[in-house]
Amino acid sequence: MKIAPTVLKQRAHLLGEIRAFFQEKNVLEVETPVLGQSGVCDPHLQNLVTQINTSRYFLQTSPEYHMKRLLASGSGSIYQICKAFRDDEQGRYHNPEFTMVEWYRTGFNYLQLMDEVEQLIAGLIGIEGFHRLTYQDAFQKTVGIDPFSATEVELEKKAGQVSGQTSRNDLLDLILAEKVLPALKGAVFIYDYPADQAAMAKIRGDVAERFELIINGIELANGYSELIDPVEQKKRFNDENKQREAMGMEPMPIDQQFLKAMTEGIPDCAGVALGFDRLVMLACNKNTLADVMPFPVEIA
């Protein structure tokens, strides 16, 4: 398997354009560790683990915790282009090692950040006519159910054949991935997710101030108005570890240095993570990540 020289050139071109975009906006490029002493508690993300001497370290699933520690130190708006790693993620749109563009804009909310994501992507790959749908509207328009009020029986029926113990959110995720996203054409922002799918987003009423950018059914970016309350963040970490234990998974050590930084104060901001390899795939009109990665895991 060889990557086409034109794809290598497109990767380099896009990296240069992204850096120029942020330089023009005075957003500072930073670097943070790939290895950390703590992993993520989110039961839907699995860290790759390594060892230094007798200590266990975790390869980052994203640079989020370290970048927010920089925000707490007074960095101002920052971005990073880096490698991230996730176990159990391999397939057409997944590789255990991948390139991520992540940035945080102080003084922004998630709606303002959506505007900036649109500006960046439109400039990079020439897509026009971005649309916006709330999470609720996306479900109602594509599969005809209200994700906030539908019963689990209704969700199971809509999801089709499922096996094992499946939570309400698992059913919603399944319907979203298998039925909602494939029905969306062009570039679509889905926003205002259910509050219990907030991840690290602020919650407003029964919705999380969170968005995803979907292009031709492919998730490209995930962002939100950032939670900055350390008490609420610690509660979410503990709740996620309880979920992990209920699912028969190992609870993860909570990143105390990150919580300390939150206590010292993270400014109001919005942040987003964008899959760079998927962006290259779209720009080059390819069908899989393996087509645009110099060394996918099969030949790494």
Side-chain angles (χ1 to χ4, degrees), residues 38-39 41 64-73 199-200 227-241 252-266:
S38 304
C41 299
E64 182 167 7
Y65 296 175
H66 287 101
M67 290 185 77
K68 287 181 176 176
R69 285 166 65 181
L70 291 180
L71 289 168
S73 73
M200 296 172 76
L227 176 67
I228 59 174
D229 180 350
V231 175
E232 171 63 19
Q233 184 60 72
K234 184 176 182 179
K235 177 182 180 301
R236 291 191 196 180
F237 282 155
N238 288 329
D239 289 345
E240 287 173 342
N241 267 334
M252 297 296 285
I254 291 174
D255 191 332
Q256 298 298 334
Q257 295 182 89
F258 169 55
L259 289 179
K260 182 175 182 292
M262 291 191 76
T263 301
E264 292 169 353
I266 293 176

Side-chain angles (χ1 to χ4, degrees), residues 122-167:
L124 290 175
I125 57 178
I127 289 181
E128 297 179 355
F130 285 71
H131 302 285
R132 298 188 183 189
L133 286 173
T134 65
Y135 184 93
Q136 185 177 45
D137 285 343
F139 271 75
Q140 290 177 326
K141 289 179 181 293
T142 57
V143 294
I145 60 171
D146 185 335
F148 290 90
S149 62
T151 66
E152 287 200 21
V153 171
E154 291 172 323
L155 294 177
E156 287 172 358
K157 183 177 179 180
K158 189 62 66 173
Q161 188 67 32
V162 293
S163 59
Q165 292 184 332
T166 307
S167 70

Side-chain angles (χ1 to χ4, degrees), residues 18 21-23 25-32 40 45 60-82 84 86 100-110 112-114 116-117 120 198-202 209 211 221-228 233 237 255 258 262 265-274:
I18 290 169
F21 178 87
F22 287 120
Q23 184 173 18
K25 293 179 175 294
N26 294 317
V27 179
L28 182 68
E29 182 172 10
V30 297
E31 293 180 294
T32 56
V40 291
L45 295 176
Q60 65 177 6
T61 59
S62 95
E64 182 167 7
Y65 296 175
H66 287 101
M67 290 185 77
K68 287 181 176 176
R69 285 166 65 181
L70 291 180
L71 289 168
S73 73
S75 67
S77 295
I78 52 177
Y79 83 98
Q80 181 169 187
I81 301 170
C82 64
R86 296 182 184 180
M100 177 179 286
V101 183
E102 186 154 329
W103 73 97
Y104 294 86
R105 296 289 259 135
T106 57
F108 275 38
N109 61 33
Y110 72 131
Q112 293 168 303
L113 190 56
M114 271 194 274
E116 185 164 86
V117 172
L120 174 64
M200 296 172 76
K202 287 183 178 178
E209 293 190 354
F211 68 84
N222 181 27
Y224 27 82
S225 297
E226 298 292 344
L227 176 67
I228 59 174
Q233 184 60 72
F237 282 155
D255 191 332
F258 169 55
M262 291 191 76
I266 293 176
D268 277 324
C269 61
V272 61
L274 185 151

